[in-house]
Amino acid sequence: MTKESWKNLWVRYRHLVPVLLYMIFYMSIFTYVENRPSYHVHLLASKWDRFIPFCEYFIIPYFLWFAYVAFGVLYFALVEKDRSQYWALIINLGIGMTVFLIVSLVWPNGHTLRPGYIDRDNIFMSMVRSLWRIDTSTNVLPSIHVFNSVAIHIALAKSPALKKHPAVVNGSLILCLLIIASTMFLKQHTVIDVVTALALNFGCYHLVYQPQAARKTAQHSWRIR
């Protein structure tokens, strides 16, 4: 490739560099907290967790989370023309994931809700057992599965282009809700983890999207004048 080609690639995709650098940082810290010796883990549970049965079929939306988040980030990085929507999503995700790392570092937490024995053998149970082997029930507060799902849906729902495609937004909402439910039905997270993530979503929304809306309103008013 010529020097000019490399320059064009850099100009076109340089907004992806902060994301890649942050993911290296995030995975490094996450790997550390997942593998460090835990001498005292704060166990999380509430009476509401007892009312939620285990259901292995929710492994499907749980795993779809990875594709859902990847689709959301890539859509705003490569397709959405309003670059401010991309940065709003990235900042939103970054705040939530950084808060999760800080909590995991300073306040080790986990739960003991996973059933010890399940007398069922099917492909979904095999997938759940594989998940449980590689993903411990520690460092669960707030639920990143929940936080990122809601962040992606908010971004898709606010996309100027996707407002013309309500089926996509409605489909996103359904998948988002199924992913949230899956974290509890698979005993990956407690109700406390989910509620904490939603509260963090609420705070981040007002921190990231409300000022953005105010700026656009002010710009629109200025143009009218």
Side-chain angles (χ1 to χ4, degrees):
M1 295 180 68
T2 65
K3 183 177 180 181
E4 190 65 26
S5 298
W6 282 111
K7 182 178 180 181
N8 291 336
L9 278 176
W10 168 253
V11 171
R12 188 173 182 181
Y13 297 114
R14 61 186 175 185
H15 58 286
L16 293 174
V17 174
V19 176
L20 296 175
L21 293 176
Y22 180 81
M23 286 309 301
I24 295 172
F25 163 78
Y26 176 84
M27 291 306 302
S28 299
I29 304 300
F30 178 75
T31 301
Y32 166 73
V33 296
E34 277 288 285
N35 294 285
R36 68 178 174 178
S38 297
Y39 300 106
H40 180 66
V41 174
H42 298 83
L43 294 179
L44 304 173
S46 71
K47 64 179 182 179
W48 302 108
D49 291 300
R50 297 196 300 269
F51 296 106
I52 303 174
F54 169 81
C55 181
E56 68 268 28
Y57 302 112
F58 276 94
I59 193 66
I60 300 301
Y62 189 87
F63 277 159
L64 283 176
W65 175 82
F66 296 96
Y68 182 53
V69 173
F71 167 79
V73 173
L74 291 176
Y75 171 80
F76 285 97
L78 306 176
V79 180
E80 176 66 58
K81 294 180 180 180
D82 186 351
R83 190 53 55 81
S84 67
Q85 297 298 311
Y86 166 77
W87 288 115
L89 172 61
I90 296 306
I91 292 170
N92 198 11
L93 291 172
I95 293 174
M97 294 167 72
T98 302
V99 169
F100 164 76
L101 290 178
I102 293 171
V103 172
S104 298
L105 282 168
V106 304
W107 198 68
N109 57 83
H111 67 76
T112 56
L113 296 176
R114 291 178 177 178
Y117 176 75
I118 301 172
D119 189 19
R120 290 195 297 275
D121 191 13
N122 53 56
I123 187 173
F124 303 104
M125 274 307 310
S126 297
M127 294 168 69
V128 172
R129 291 188 182 104
S130 297
L131 171 66
W132 286 352
R133 279 195 295 269
I134 62 176
D135 189 8
T136 68
S137 57
T138 58
N139 306 309
V140 294
L141 179 81
S143 168
I144 287 300
H145 249 67
V146 171
F147 181 88
N148 284 5
S149 296
V150 175
I152 292 293
H153 175 67
I154 289 173
L156 293 175
K158 293 185 73 64
S159 165
L162 290 180
K163 287 180 180 179
K164 303 174 184 178
H165 303 280
V168 175
V169 177
N170 292 336
S172 168
L173 176 60
I174 292 171
L175 180 56
C176 178
L177 293 175
L178 285 172
I179 292 171
I180 292 172
S182 75
T183 65
M184 295 176 285
F185 279 98
L186 293 178
K187 302 305 175 182
Q188 283 290 99
H189 288 279
T190 71
V191 172
I192 294 173
D193 307 332
V194 172
V195 171
T196 305
L198 294 175
L200 183 58
N201 277 125
F202 180 81
C204 287
Y205 176 83
H206 286 277
L207 184 65
V208 175
Y209 285 98
Q210 292 291 70
Q212 184 188 68
R215 285 195 301 271
K216 288 187 176 181
T217 300
Q219 290 172 359
H220 180 70
S221 300
W222 178 258
R223 292 194 191 100
I224 292 176
R225 293 176 185 177

